[in-house]
Amino acid sequence: MTFDRRTAMGIGAAGLAVMAVPGLAAPAGSRFRVEGNAFLLDGKPFQILAGEMHYPRIPRALWRDRLRKMRALGFNTLSAYMFWNIHEQTPGVFDFADNLDVAAWVRMAQEEGLFVLLRPGPYVCAEWDGGGLPAWLFPDSGTPARALDPRFMKPSARWLKRLGEELAPLQIDRGGPIIMTQIENEYGAFGSDQRYLLALRDATRAAGFAGQLYMVDGASVLDKGTLPGIPAGINFGTFTQDEAERAFKERAEKGFGGPDFCSEFWAGWFDHWHETHATTSTENVVANLKWMLERKMSVSFYMFHGGTSFGTWAGANFDLDKNHYEPTISSYDYDALLDEAGRPTAKYAAVRKLLADYLPADRFGELPPAEKALTVAPFALDEAAPLAQVLGPAQLAEDPRTLEGCGRTAGMLLYRHRLAEAVSGELSLSEVRDLALVSIDGKPAATLDRRRHDTGFAIDAPAGATIEVLVDAMGHANYGKGLGKDQKGLIGPVAVNGAQLKGWEHRPVLIEEPGRLAFAKRRGAETGPAFYRGAFTISEAGFTFLDMRGWGKGYVWVNGHNLGRYWSAGPQRGVFVPAPWLKVGRNEVVVLDLFGPAETMLAGVTEMIWDRAAKLPEA
C-alpha cells in the first residue's frame, strides 16, 4: 500500500506520522491459534512474514522508522527478543523506561500494522552478553544455566512475571498485537531436560501469557528441545541455495508436523573480533525465500535490521571443552536487509522484488524519508584524563576475585599486589578473562590475551614493587556449554615460580561514569590507559561513523552515550553514531584507549569501515 498523510493519527518519534494501516490490524478479541498444519487468525489461514529487530540495539527515536521500513517491505509481523539482563541489572530491580519500554515497542509495532512474535527467554542468545542471562546469576561457575535448579528457575520466573505485567495485556485476544509467545530458545542445541521445559512453560503461563505458545530450534535437534502439543519453528541459514529444502525435509523425516515455519531465516551473519566481516549472498537469500514462498510457508528474517550492541552488551562464543573464546564486535550489522544505520540494502531491494510476485500491491508501503549520512572533518582530542579518576572503592582479598565476585557485571577491574620480597622468574596468572595489561611500578610489563591462552611472563622485581593487572572484560558467553561459566577477571591464583602471591586489592573501573572525569590539556603522548576528549560541530541532522583507525582498544562516548567497543583487531574499524544522539552544533567525544593512540585524531565517515584481519595480531 502507499502511506497517505490523511490517515495520520499523530506524530511519532523522529517526526514520523503514526499511520493507521488498514487490512492488517486485528479487532479486539481476535484469536490466533494453530490448527493442524496451519496458523489461523480468527479462523482464517495466516502466513507469517516476519523480521527480527531488537529494541536495545536501536535508539528509541528510531524505532518507528525501522518498523515502518519493515512494514513497507510487505511484512506483517515483528519478531522480538526480550533481554532480561538489561532490564534487571541489579537483582529485583527492573527498568522498563526510555529505550527499555518494551510495551511502547510492542504498541508501536501495532500502530505500524505489525503483529508480534514475543520471545521472552529467559535465554535468547542473539550475540548478546550472556545470551540475555544476567551475570549476577553466576557469581561463580557453580550455578547451572538453563536448568531446573531453583537458583536459575526462581529468578527466571520472577523475570517472566515482571515482563508479563508489561506485555500480557498486549496479547491479541486482549486487543494487542502479540500472536504467539516463545518458550525457551534453541534448547535442543544445549540440553534435553523435558522437566525444565515444562517448568518454563508453566512459569510463562503463570506470568499471564495465555495465548498461543511456540518453540524454535534447529531441525536436527527438534526432538531434544521441544514439547508435545506446542508447535515448533526451525532455524537455518542461507549459506547454500537449498538450505530451506534440506531443513524442512529433515523436519519431516523426524516426524514433526504443525505449520511450516522458518522461525529464524539467517539472511546474514555476525562478526567476531579478529575475523573477516561476515556476509551472505543475496542470491542464496532469494533462492531459499522463493522456495518457501512457493509453498506458502511462514518465515521470519533474522535479522531484518541488526543495529548496534551499544556499551558492553555484545556477547561472545565460548567453547568450554576447547577453551576457545571468540568475542563479538559491537556492530550488529549482520549483513541484514537494513544496514547498521538503518538504510535499505541490496538484499532489501531483492526481497522486495521477489515478494511482489506473491503479495498484493497494497501490502507494500513507501519508505520513510532517509536520514542523512554526515561527513565530519578530522578533529583533535586534545584533552586527557587518567584512568585512575574512575576507579571505584577498593576491595581486599587474599586471592584474586572475579569481576562478578566484586559485584560487577561488565567493564574492567584493576588488581594490585605489593611484593613483600624480591622475585625473579615466571609470573603465572592461571587464566585471564579477557585481556590483561600488566605493569610493575607503573611501567608496562606484558599484555596477556585470553584468545592466545597467554598466562604469564618473566619477572624480575624488587621487594616493595607494586604489580598492577588491568583486566578488560569482553562479552559473556551467549551460546553453548560456556553459559554461566564465563566469569571475568583473573581466574585462579597468581604465582611466581609456583609460589602464590597473597593479598590483593581490587578496584573496579567505573566506565559507566565518564561524567566524573576532569580533563586537562594534553602536554605530550600519554602511555597506557587514558581517556581523551574532543569535539566536532555539525550544521544539520544526520548520522555518521567515527573512523577509529589509528586507535588501539577501548570505548567511545558521544554526548554521554556509550557507542560500544572498538579494537584495532578488526574487522570493525569504526563506530556508529546514531542521528538522535547528535546535536546540530557542538558534539563532545570521549575515547578510552588502553594502549595510547599514535595520534589523537578522529573523523566522521558515511559508511562503516571493515577490514580483513586474517590472523591473530599482537594486542
Side-chain angles (χ1 to χ4, degrees):
M1 65 170 286
T2 299
F3 288 120
D4 185 337
R5 290 190 180 274
R6 292 172 297 179
T7 66
M9 298 170 61
I11 300 296
L16 293 178
V18 180
M19 301 296 181
V21 184
L24 281 182
S30 289
R31 186 182 180 199
F32 186 92
R33 61 190 175 90
V34 170
E35 185 174 296
N37 294 330
F39 292 124
L40 299 179
L41 176 62
D42 291 334
K44 298 179 180 179
F46 183 82
Q47 181 185 26
I48 296 171
L49 293 178
E52 182 90 20
M53 291 196 292
H54 301 150
Y55 57 96
R57 284 174 161 146
I58 307 166
R60 180 169 176 163
L62 296 175
W63 285 357
R64 193 175 299 281
D65 172 88
R66 305 313 193 243
L67 291 165
R68 188 157 298 175
K69 286 169 179 171
M70 179 180 289
R71 178 64 190 86
L73 192 55
F75 287 14
N76 57 20
T77 305
L78 167 69
S79 181
Y81 276 140
M82 299 287 114
F83 298 86
W84 176 12
N85 57 358
I86 201 170
H87 292 281
E88 193 182 2
Q89 297 186 40
T90 301
V93 180
F94 291 91
D95 183 1
F96 287 95
D98 303 322
N99 225 96
L100 304 183
D101 189 344
V102 293
W105 172 238
V106 169
R107 285 194 299 267
M108 193 179 292
Q110 185 175 29
E111 291 169 357
E112 293 301 322
L114 296 166
F115 295 103
V116 173
L117 297 172
L118 184 65
R119 313 181 74 185
Y123 165 75
V124 297
C125 188
E127 290 70 60
W128 186 263
D129 187 71
L133 301 179
W136 51 257
L137 265 180
F138 309 105
D140 54 50
S141 59
T143 300
R146 305 171 77 181
L148 198 55
D149 189 294
R151 290 172 294 175
F152 181 80
M153 283 303 302
K154 185 176 180 180
S156 294
R158 181 179 68 203
W159 152 247
L160 291 170
K161 183 177 185 297
R162 182 63 184 85
L163 184 67
E165 294 174 12
E166 299 289 322
L167 296 182
L170 295 176
Q171 294 172 99
I172 190 168
D173 62 335
R174 299 171 68 176
I178 298 172
I179 55 176
M180 291 200 294
T181 300
Q182 184 177 309
I183 301 297
E184 240 279 352
N185 185 57
E186 297 181 318
Y187 179 68
F190 180 85
S192 58
D193 188 346
Q194 294 283 295
R195 297 172 306 158
Y196 161 66
L197 292 177
L198 287 168
L200 202 57
R201 178 204 63 186
D202 293 346
T204 304
R205 288 296 194 207
F209 296 107
Q212 180 65 56
L213 302 176
Y214 76 113
M215 307 181 83
V216 309
D217 227 316
S220 63
V221 292
L222 278 173
D223 53 329
K224 296 180 179 179
T226 56
L227 289 171
I230 299 180
I234 54 175
N235 300 347
F236 52 81
T238 55
F239 303 106
T240 66
Q241 294 197 359
D242 64 345
E243 287 200 46
E245 182 177 4
R246 290 188 289 110
F248 278 103
K249 180 181 178 182
E250 184 171 14
R251 173 179 178 264
E253 289 173 347
K254 285 183 172 289
F256 282 86
D260 292 324
F261 178 32
C262 174
S263 41
E264 285 189 12
F265 181 49
W266 303 326
W269 203 242
F270 56 90
D271 297 292
H272 293 132
W273 295 108
H274 288 281
E275 294 181 357
T276 60
H277 176 44
T279 60
T280 61
S281 81
T282 298
E283 292 75 16
N284 287 1
V285 171
V286 169
N288 283 283
L289 179 60
K290 183 177 182 180
W291 187 89
M292 289 186 282
L293 292 174
E294 287 177 347
R295 290 156 180 80
K296 295 182 172 56
M297 294 177 170
S298 291
V299 59
S300 179
F301 274 74
Y302 191 99
M303 297 290 295
F304 173 78
H305 169 54
T308 308
S309 300
F310 298 110
T312 61
W313 292 109
N317 279 15
F318 175 30
D319 187 322
L320 188 64
D321 295 331
K322 297 179 180 179
N323 194 22
H324 182 57
Y325 178 77
E326 299 172 295
T328 305
I329 68 174
S330 289
S331 171
Y332 203 54
D333 178 88
Y334 211 86
D335 193 31
L337 301 188
L338 302 183
D339 72 4
E340 185 177 6
R343 294 171 291 192
T345 64
K347 282 182 183 175
Y348 185 102
V351 169
R352 170 65 175 79
K353 181 179 180 182
L354 177 64
L355 288 174
D357 294 334
Y358 296 89
L359 301 177
D362 65 0
R363 278 286 293 271
F364 302 96
E366 292 180 354
L367 288 168
E371 296 177 291
K372 186 164 185 178
L374 302 178
T375 299
V376 177
F379 61 97
L381 282 73
D382 55 5
E383 295 179 313
L387 188 77
Q389 289 187 8
V390 288
L391 293 179
Q395 298 182 37
L396 303 179
E398 279 293 284
D399 296 305
R401 293 176 177 171
T402 63
L403 186 78
E404 294 80 3
C406 291
R408 303 284 290 177
T409 58
M412 302 178 189
L413 187 62
L414 179 66
Y415 297 80
R416 284 194 181 123
H417 172 81
R418 189 172 184 273
L419 290 171
E421 58 186 36
V423 296
S424 180
E426 180 74 9
L427 178 69
S428 174
L429 295 83
S430 300
E431 186 176 3
V432 169
R433 296 183 183 175
D434 298 300
L435 187 82
L437 279 65
V438 187
S439 63
I440 300 174
D441 283 340
K443 297 179 180 180
T447 298
L448 308 179
D449 190 333
R450 177 184 184 180
R451 299 169 309 105
R452 295 193 302 249
H453 305 288
D454 296 336
T455 57
F457 62 96
I459 185 174
D460 188 356
T466 297
I467 299 173
E468 290 190 339
V469 184
L470 177 65
V471 179
D472 179 23
M474 303 292 282
H476 291 89
N478 61 255
Y479 182 80
K481 300 298 183 180
L483 284 171
K485 302 183 184 303
D486 191 20
Q487 287 71 34
K488 301 299 185 179
L490 297 182
I491 310 299
V494 177
V496 176
N497 299 330
Q500 294 186 17
L501 301 181
K502 298 290 185 177
W504 289 86
E505 175 185 291
H506 307 72
R507 298 194 68 181
V509 181
L510 307 179
I511 63 171
E512 68 273 24
E513 298 183 17
R516 63 190 281 179
L517 292 166
F519 285 91
K521 285 289 185 181
R522 297 181 62 220
R523 297 180 179 177
E526 282 73 21
T527 58
F531 292 87
Y532 301 84
R533 185 170 70 177
F536 65 91
T537 60
I538 56 175
S539 59
E540 58 184 326
F543 64 86
T544 193
F545 294 85
L546 291 180
D547 181 352
M548 302 305 299
R549 289 175 293 186
W551 294 75
K553 185 181 192 297
Y555 294 87
V556 184
W557 292 260
V558 170
N559 296 327
H561 297 278
N562 189 333
L563 303 178
R565 300 181 177 100
Y566 69 92
W567 194 356
S568 59
Q572 174 185 344
R573 301 296 293 274
V575 292
F576 174 56
V577 190
W581 294 355
L582 288 174
K583 299 178 290 188
V584 173
R586 185 179 185 275
N587 294 271
E588 181 182 274
V589 181
V590 174
V591 177
L592 168 59
D593 195 282
L594 297 181
F595 301 122
E599 186 178 13
T600 58
M601 298 289 294
L602 286 175
V605 294
T606 60
E607 302 285 341
M608 176 56 79
I609 303 164
W610 299 109
D611 67 14
R612 295 291 183 263
K615 62 180 181 179
L616 299 181
E618 295 301 314

